[in-house]
Amino acid sequence: MSKTDYVIAGAGVAGIEAAAAIRARDPDGRIMVVGEEPHPFYARIRLGELIDGRVGVERLILKKDEWYRDNSIDLRTGVRVEGFDTKAAVADLSDGARVQYDRLLLAVGARPFMPPFPGSDLPGVRTLRTIDDALKIKSLAADARAAVVIGGGLLGLEAAVSLVNSGLDVTVVDVSRWLLPRQVDPKGGGVVQGILEGMGLHFRIDAKVGSIEGRGRVESVELAGGESLSASLVLVAAGIRPEVGPARDSGIEVDRGIKVDDRLTTSAHGVFAAGDCAQHRGRVYGIWPASEAQGRIAGAVMAGEKASYEGTIPLNTLKIAGVAVFSIGDIDPENTGDTETLQSGHVYRRLTRDEKGRLKGAVLVGDIKERRRIIAAVGEGKPYPEKG
Amino acid sequence: MKKYECPTCGYVYDPVKGDPDGGIAPGTAFENLPDDWSCPVCGAAKDMFEPLDED
Ligand SMILES: Cc1cc2nc3c(=O)[nH]c(=O)nc-3n(C[C@H](O)[C@H](O)[C@H](O)COP(=O)(O)OP(=O)(O)OC[C@H]3O[C@@H](n4cnc5c(N)ncnc54)[C@H](O)[C@@H]3O)c2cc1C
Ligand SMILES: [Zn+2]
């Protein structure tokens, strides 16, 4: 059995930020990062660009081999942490190695959620989370004429644009009444939809998938309303499920994610969790900036520092195919209060105020330059724009 | 030379380091980046970046 000071399961942003934070505080500690994917840490957010060839795999790799070498980080790619014994403090790796650790970080991310549609197991039905997923979708797209994307959230829209860029006829199906319902109001969603329709996407909003059909491989998506959309590629973007398996199997407390406190500590001694797999104050963020912050703080705590994580402000700054969308606070989608909306072409701005004229929330589409001032005004409960 | 932050993912462009993998030499000021340069982490366009207030 080998011994090391720190074992990090998962070579995503949370795991790598943690490794860097540990190294900054503990120059001599032995750090091992075990990553199931064959690729070293990369820009997962940009996988859509890999599908349509805007970038290659090389550009996505965020830290080169020298970084691991210069920081003496023992990176094992293509290897899983299969399980661990929290009492003995031993982790079992998929290559047969057993490693004794002082501190273990679970930074194992999340898996795409596949709703149980009939036919979801047909060849040609895919999800997108990894470089290998993206390359597989890219090769399927090369032979496909039409695709259906199930789920019109951030990831679904980004992937749909990539497929259009690849020359496919693409329809996005979503059950919600407007696009990005958690980020923008109906009118803002309409503006986003208009921009994307201008790029050639088709939409079926407020529409439910009944089943996925095909003989031997996918041929169509059947909507509950009766419509049939033919497609030889179906991308399901129906959200994520935090990877809780290995933690649960070793008796660590899990809920939707692996439960952690403000020090990113799990219910087991010496075991920490960060990123998409972690649930902090009841919340699983599922976003890059939160995973990065959690990884950084987990690393600091693991190296003995008194750091704590208070949460990440859920500001929504999105970039869908180059279209910037920003929202904050109460966006009053039902139009119950005092709102000011302004639309000119593909630029949309909506401000929500209370009875005293103080800014409560905002949605910006297309041009988000104002957001700093808006964040300040919402934070301080001030009127906006301030009168001179 | 000022640092700039990406609003989508939090990546900070540090002119001292540049973005060698993106073909940007160390010492390149943000203002001198080509217009089609984009965030290495999330791909956001250059004009979305905000100057970082150093404290
Ligand atoms: C296409 C796409 C677009 C996105 N766009 C945005 C965006 O615009 N903005 C945003 O904020 N977020 C976005 N996200 C989400 C963002 O990528 C995640 O929040 C972030 O990557 C989470 O980081 P993480 O380190 O927690 O997990 P991950 O990045 O998932 O890394 C975890 C790693 O652990 C590995 N692993 C799992 N189990 C084990 C095991 N037992 N042993 C070893 N390794 C294991 C996994 O294979 C994975 O490589 C997007 C995600 C995708 C897929
Ligand atoms: Zn970015």
Side-chain angles (χ1 to χ4, degrees):
Chain A
M1 180 154 31
S2 65
K3 278 183 77 146
T4 189
D5 298 305
Y6 307 91
V7 169
I8 296 175
V13 61
I16 297 302
E17 280 295 325
I22 292 168
R23 181 55 77 228
R25 291 163 179 84
D26 180 351
D28 304 316
R30 286 161 300 174
I31 304 174
M32 180 190 287
V33 178
V34 183
E36 170 193 78
E37 292 185 64
H39 311 278
F41 171 48
Y42 61 89
R44 193 175 302 288
I45 303 187
R46 303 184 69 177
L47 289 176
E49 296 174 66
L50 188 59
I51 292 177
D52 61 26
R54 273 174 286 168
V55 298
V57 171
E58 268 310 297
R59 178 66 175 139
L60 298 190
I61 305 298
L62 290 170
K63 294 209 185 304
K64 303 295 171 207
D65 296 347
E66 302 85 74
W67 185 84
Y68 299 94
R69 201 186 51 223
D70 296 348
N71 288 287
S72 320
I73 288 165
D74 178 5
L75 174 68
R76 311 278 176 99
T77 50
V79 180
R80 270 176 63 81
V81 171
E82 293 290 359
F84 47 92
D85 178 338
T86 58
K87 285 222 173 65
V90 171
D92 285 302
L93 311 190
S94 58
D95 61 2
R98 308 196 73 206
V99 189
Q100 175 111 48
Y101 60 82
D102 270 348
R103 303 209 153 93
L104 171 66
L105 175 66
L106 302 172
V108 289
R111 309 281 181 195
F113 172 58
M114 178 63 88
F117 304 124
S120 62
D121 53 351
L122 282 169
V125 181
R126 310 295 305 183
T127 55
L128 174 61
R129 180 74 189 181
T130 64
I131 284 185
D132 292 351
D133 292 340
L135 294 176
K136 181 75 195 165
I137 291 165
K138 182 181 174 140
S139 78
L140 286 167
D143 299 322
R145 285 229 317 275
V148 169
V149 175
I150 300 175
L154 173 61
L155 194 154
L157 294 178
E158 193 77 54
V161 169
S162 298
L163 293 173
V164 165
N165 290 344
S166 310
L168 276 70
D169 189 48
V170 182
T171 305
V172 178
V173 180
D174 199 289
V175 285
S176 56
R177 284 185 296 130
W178 66 89
L179 291 182
L180 305 172
R182 271 166 303 157
Q183 288 93 4
V184 303
D185 64 297
K187 208 165 169 199
V191 173
V192 173
Q193 184 173 335
I195 296 172
L196 297 174
E197 281 168 347
M199 297 179 184
L201 274 77
H202 309 292
F203 289 92
R204 297 291 183 277
I205 301 298
D206 207 355
K208 250 208 172 90
V209 171
S211 64
I212 303 174
E213 302 290 337
R215 269 169 304 169
R217 58 168 295 110
V218 62
E219 289 165 9
S220 69
V221 173
E222 306 296 319
L223 302 186
E227 191 182 1
S228 175
L229 302 167
S230 52
S232 46
L233 169 60
V234 172
L235 183 70
V236 180
I240 55 163
R241 292 292 176 270
E243 172 72 340
V244 297
R248 193 184 42 217
D249 295 346
S250 11
I252 287 176
E253 249 183 82
V254 307
D255 182 22
R256 214 169 93 66
I258 303 166
K259 287 172 110 178
V260 293
D261 61 15
D262 288 359
R263 296 175 54 73
L264 284 319
T265 308
T266 69
S267 64
H269 179 76
V271 183
F272 301 76
D276 280 9
C277 64
Q279 177 176 327
H280 172 258
R281 297 187 188 173
R283 191 170 183 139
V284 175
Y285 286 92
I287 55 172
W288 184 281
S291 300
E292 183 171 29
Q294 290 180 9
R296 194 167 52 236
I297 291 166
V301 173
M302 289 168 77
E305 192 171 306
K306 259 197 154 19
S308 85
Y309 175 69
E310 309 282 337
T312 298
I313 300 169
L315 280 181
N316 296 301
T317 307
L318 314 176
K319 159 219 65 117
I320 302 148
V323 182
V325 177
F326 167 83
S327 68
I328 183 174
D330 178 3
I331 57 174
D332 189 17
E334 307 295 340
N335 264 320
T336 55
D338 174 13
T339 63
E340 175 190 333
T341 57
L342 192 134
Q343 184 185 348
S344 89
H346 286 165
V347 177
Y348 175 73
R349 173 176 183 266
R350 172 193 179 88
L351 304 177
T352 324
R353 301 192 175 88
D354 66 9
E355 5 16 276
K356 294 200 172 110
R358 289 175 300 209
L359 193 65
K360 282 196 318 183
V363 176
L364 303 174
V365 179
D367 179 352
I368 63 169
K369 291 216 171 54
E370 274 184 273
R371 71 186 179 283
R372 286 260 168 131
R373 280 174 286 143
I374 287 177
I375 294 167
V378 171
E380 294 158 20
K382 280 193 179 155
Y384 180 88
E386 267 178 278
K387 305 209 167 59
Chain B
M1 285 190 295
K2 247 186 175 333
K3 293 181 183 171
Y4 278 72
E5 187 180 30
C6 172
T8 320
C9 70
Y11 167 85
V12 173
Y13 177 78
D14 181 349
V16 174
K17 293 185 188 152
D19 172 19
D21 296 324
I24 306 298
T28 307
F30 184 83
E31 294 74 17
N32 295 333
L33 291 173
D35 288 340
D36 63 357
W37 179 84
S38 62
C39 175
V41 175
C42 74
K46 178 187 171 189
D47 63 9
M48 280 181 70
F49 277 65
E50 296 267 350
L52 202 65
D53 320 308
E54 278 327 297
D55 36 24

